[in-house]
Coordinates of all heavy atoms in Angstrom, one line a residue:
L129 N -27.2 15.4 3.2 CA -28.0 16.6 3.2 C -28.9 16.7 4.4 O -29.3 17.8 4.8 CB -28.7 16.6 1.8 CG -27.9 16.8 0.6 CD1 -28.8 16.7 -0.6 CD2 -27.1 18.0 0.6
T130 N -29.3 15.6 5.0 CA -30.2 15.7 6.1 C -29.5 16.3 7.4 O -30.2 16.8 8.3 CB -30.6 14.2 6.5 OG1 -29.5 13.4 6.7 CG2 -31.5 13.7 5.4
E131 N -28.2 16.4 7.4 CA -27.5 17.0 8.4 C -27.8 18.7 8.5 O -27.6 19.2 9.5 CB -26.0 16.8 8.4 CG -25.6 15.4 8.5 CD -24.1 15.2 8.3 OE1 -23.4 16.2 8.0 OE2 -23.6 14.1 8.5
L132 N -28.2 19.2 7.3 CA -28.3 20.5 7.2 C -29.6 21.1 8.0 O -29.7 22.4 8.2 CB -28.4 21.0 5.8 CG -27.2 20.8 4.9 CD1 -27.5 21.1 3.4 CD2 -26.1 21.6 5.4
K133 N -30.4 20.3 8.4 CA -31.6 20.7 9.2 C -31.2 21.3 10.5 O -31.8 22.3 11.0 CB -32.6 19.5 9.3 CG -33.8 20.0 10.1 CD -34.8 18.8 10.2 CE -36.1 19.1 11.0 NZ -37.0 18.1 11.1
D134 N -30.2 20.6 11.2 CA -29.8 21.1 12.5 C -28.4 21.6 12.6 O -28.1 22.2 13.6 CB -29.9 19.8 13.4 CG -31.3 19.2 13.5 OD1 -32.2 20.0 13.7 OD2 -31.4 18.0 13.4
N135 N -27.6 21.6 11.5 CA -26.2 22.0 11.5 C -26.1 23.0 10.4 O -26.9 23.1 9.5 CB -25.2 20.9 11.4 CG -25.4 19.9 12.5 OD1 -25.6 20.3 13.7 ND2 -25.2 18.6 12.3
R136 N -24.9 23.7 10.3 CA -24.5 24.5 9.3 C -23.2 24.0 8.7 O -22.3 23.7 9.4 CB -24.2 26.0 9.8 CG -23.7 27.0 8.7 CD -23.9 28.4 9.2 NE -23.1 28.6 10.3 CZ -21.8 29.1 10.2 NH1 -21.2 29.2 9.0 NH2 -21.1 29.4 11.2
H137 N -23.1 23.9 7.3 CA -21.9 23.5 6.6 C -21.3 24.7 5.9 O -22.0 25.4 5.1 CB -22.2 22.4 5.7 CG -22.6 21.2 6.4 ND1 -23.0 19.9 5.7 CD2 -22.6 20.8 7.7 CE1 -23.2 19.0 6.6 NE2 -23.0 19.5 7.8
E138 N -20.1 24.9 6.0 CA -19.4 26.0 5.3 C -18.1 25.5 4.6 O -17.3 24.9 5.3 CB -18.9 27.2 6.3 CG -18.3 28.4 5.6 CD -18.1 29.5 6.7 OE1 -18.9 29.5 7.7 OE2 -17.1 30.2 6.4
G139 N -18.1 25.6 3.3 CA -17.0 25.0 2.6 C -16.9 25.3 1.1 O -17.5 26.4 0.7
W140 N -16.3 24.5 0.3 CA -16.1 24.7 -1.1 C -16.3 23.3 -1.9 O -16.3 22.3 -1.3 CB -14.7 25.2 -1.4 CG -13.6 24.4 -0.9 CD1 -13.0 24.4 0.3 CD2 -13.0 23.3 -1.7 NE1 -11.9 23.4 0.4 CE2 -11.9 22.7 -0.8 CE3 -13.2 22.8 -2.9 CZ2 -11.2 21.6 -1.3 CZ3 -12.4 21.7 -3.3 CH2 -11.4 21.1 -2.5
F141 N -16.5 23.5 -3.2 CA -16.7 22.3 -4.0 C -16.1 22.5 -5.3 O -16.0 23.7 -5.8 CB -18.2 21.8 -4.1 CG -19.0 22.9 -4.8 CD1 -19.3 22.9 -6.2 CD2 -19.5 24.0 -4.1 CE1 -20.0 23.8 -6.8 CE2 -20.3 25.1 -4.8 CZ -20.5 24.9 -6.1
I142 N -15.8 21.4 -6.1 CA -15.3 21.5 -7.5 C -15.8 20.1 -8.2 O -15.8 19.2 -7.5 CB -13.8 21.7 -7.5 CG1 -13.4 22.0 -9.0 CG2 -13.0 20.5 -7.0 CD1 -11.9 22.5 -9.0
G143 N -15.9 20.2 -9.5 CA -16.5 19.0 -10.2 C -16.7 19.2 -11.6 O -16.3 20.2 -12.2
A144 N -17.4 18.2 -12.2 CA -17.7 18.3 -13.7 C -18.8 17.5 -14.0 O -19.3 16.7 -13.2 CB -16.4 17.9 -14.5
G145 N -19.5 17.7 -15.2 CA -20.6 16.9 -15.6 C -20.9 17.1 -17.1 O -20.2 17.9 -17.8
I146 N -22.0 16.5 -17.5 CA -22.3 16.5 -18.9 C -23.9 16.7 -19.0 O -24.6 16.4 -18.1 CB -22.1 15.2 -19.7 CG1 -22.4 15.3 -21.2 CG2 -22.8 14.0 -19.0 CD1 -21.9 14.2 -22.0
G147 N -24.3 17.6 -19.9 CA -25.7 18.0 -20.0 C -26.2 17.9 -21.4 O -25.4 17.9 -22.4
I148 N -27.5 17.9 -21.6 CA -28.2 18.0 -22.9 C -29.2 19.1 -22.8 O -29.8 19.4 -21.8 CB -28.8 16.7 -23.3 CG1 -29.4 16.8 -24.7 CG2 -29.8 16.3 -22.3 CD1 -29.8 15.5 -25.3
G149 N -29.3 19.9 -23.9 CA -30.2 21.0 -23.8 C -30.8 21.3 -25.3 O -30.4 20.7 -26.2
Y150 N -31.7 22.3 -25.2 CA -32.4 22.7 -26.5 C -32.6 24.3 -26.4 O -33.1 24.7 -25.3 CB -33.7 22.0 -26.5 CG -34.4 22.3 -27.8 CD1 -34.2 21.6 -29.0 CD2 -35.4 23.3 -27.9 CE1 -34.8 21.8 -30.2 CE2 -36.1 23.6 -29.1 CZ -35.7 22.9 -30.3 OH -36.4 23.1 -31.4
D151 N -32.3 24.9 -27.4 CA -32.6 26.4 -27.6 C -33.7 26.6 -28.5 O -33.7 26.2 -29.7 CB -31.4 27.2 -28.1 CG -30.5 27.8 -27.0 OD1 -30.6 27.2 -25.8 OD2 -30.0 28.8 -27.1
W152 N -34.8 27.1 -28.0 CA -36.0 27.4 -28.8 C -36.0 28.8 -29.3 O -36.0 29.8 -28.5 CB -37.3 27.2 -28.0 CG -38.6 27.4 -28.7 CD1 -38.8 27.5 -30.0 CD2 -39.9 27.6 -28.1 NE1 -40.1 27.7 -30.3 CE2 -40.8 27.7 -29.1 CE3 -40.2 27.7 -26.7 CZ2 -42.1 28.0 -28.9 CZ3 -41.7 27.9 -26.5 CH2 -42.6 28.0 -27.5
V153 N -35.9 29.0 -30.6 CA -35.7 30.3 -31.2 C -37.1 31.1 -31.2 O -38.0 30.6 -31.9 CB -35.1 30.3 -32.6 CG1 -35.0 31.7 -33.3 CG2 -33.8 29.5 -32.6
L154 N -37.1 32.2 -30.5 CA -38.4 33.0 -30.4 C -38.4 34.1 -31.4 O -39.4 34.4 -31.9 CB -38.5 33.6 -29.0 CG -38.5 32.6 -27.8 CD1 -38.7 33.3 -26.5 CD2 -39.7 31.6 -27.9
S155 N -37.3 34.7 -31.7 CA -37.1 35.8 -32.7 C -35.7 35.9 -33.0 O -34.8 35.1 -32.7 CB -37.7 37.1 -32.0 OG -36.8 37.6 -31.0
K156 N -35.3 37.0 -33.8 CA -34.0 37.2 -34.2 C -33.1 37.3 -33.1 O -31.8 36.8 -33.1 CB -33.9 38.5 -35.0 CG -32.5 38.8 -35.6 CD -32.5 40.0 -36.4 CE -31.1 40.3 -37.0 NZ -31.1 41.6 -37.8
H157 N -33.4 37.9 -32.0 CA -32.6 38.3 -30.8 C -32.9 37.4 -29.6 O -32.2 37.4 -28.6 CB -32.6 39.8 -30.5 CG -31.9 40.6 -31.5 ND1 -30.5 40.6 -31.8 CD2 -32.5 41.4 -32.5 CE1 -30.3 41.4 -32.7 NE2 -31.4 41.9 -33.3
W158 N -34.0 36.7 -29.5 CA -34.5 36.1 -28.2 C -34.6 34.6 -28.4 O -35.1 34.0 -29.4 CB -35.8 36.7 -27.8 CG -35.7 38.1 -27.4 CD1 -36.0 39.2 -28.1 CD2 -35.2 38.6 -26.1 NE1 -35.8 40.3 -27.4 CE2 -35.3 40.0 -26.2 CE3 -34.8 37.9 -24.9 CZ2 -34.9 40.8 -25.0 CZ3 -34.5 38.8 -23.8 CH2 -34.6 40.2 -23.9
N159 N -34.0 33.8 -27.4 CA -34.2 32.3 -27.3 C -34.8 32.0 -26.0 O -34.5 32.7 -25.0 CB -32.9 31.6 -27.5 CG -32.4 31.6 -29.0 OD1 -33.1 32.1 -29.9 ND2 -31.3 31.0 -29.3
L160 N -35.3 30.9 -25.9 CA -35.7 30.2 -24.6 C -34.9 28.9 -24.5 O -35.0 28.1 -25.4 CB -37.2 29.9 -24.6 CG -37.8 29.3 -23.3 CD1 -37.5 30.4 -22.1 CD2 -39.2 29.0 -23.4
E161 N -34.1 28.8 -23.5 CA -33.2 27.7 -23.4 C -33.4 26.8 -22.2 O -33.8 27.2 -21.1 CB -31.8 28.3 -23.1 CG -30.6 27.3 -23.1 CD -29.3 27.9 -23.2 OE1 -28.9 28.3 -24.3 OE2 -28.6 28.1 -22.1
F162 N -33.3 25.5 -22.5 CA -33.5 24.4 -21.5 C -32.3 23.5 -21.5 O -31.7 23.1 -22.5 CB -34.8 23.5 -21.9 CG -36.1 24.4 -22.1 CD1 -36.4 24.8 -23.4 CD2 -37.0 24.6 -21.1 CE1 -37.5 25.6 -23.5 CE2 -38.0 25.3 -21.3 CZ -38.4 25.8 -22.5
E163 N -31.9 23.1 -20.2 CA -30.8 22.2 -20.1 C -30.9 21.4 -18.8 O -31.3 22.0 -17.7 CB -29.5 22.9 -20.1 CG -28.3 21.9 -20.2 CD -26.9 22.5 -20.2 OE1 -26.9 23.8 -20.2 OE2 -26.0 21.8 -20.3
L164 N -30.6 20.1 -18.8 CA -30.4 19.3 -17.6 C -29.0 18.6 -17.8 O -28.6 18.1 -18.8 CB -31.5 18.2 -17.6 CG -33.0 18.7 -17.2 CD1 -33.9 17.5 -17.3 CD2 -33.0 19.2 -15.8

Side-chain angles (χ1 to χ4, degrees):
L129 295 178
T130 52
E131 296 176 356
L132 294 174
K133 181 178 180 180
D134 301 313
N135 299 324
R136 177 168 65 88
H137 293 177
E138 183 175 332
W140 58 269
F141 65 94
I142 190 169
I146 188 170
I148 185 168
Y150 184 85
D151 263 33
W152 181 18
V153 178
L154 302 177
S155 67
K156 181 179 179 181
H157 293 288
W158 292 98
N159 283 2
L160 186 61
E161 184 168 282
F162 305 89
E163 185 179 6
L164 287 174

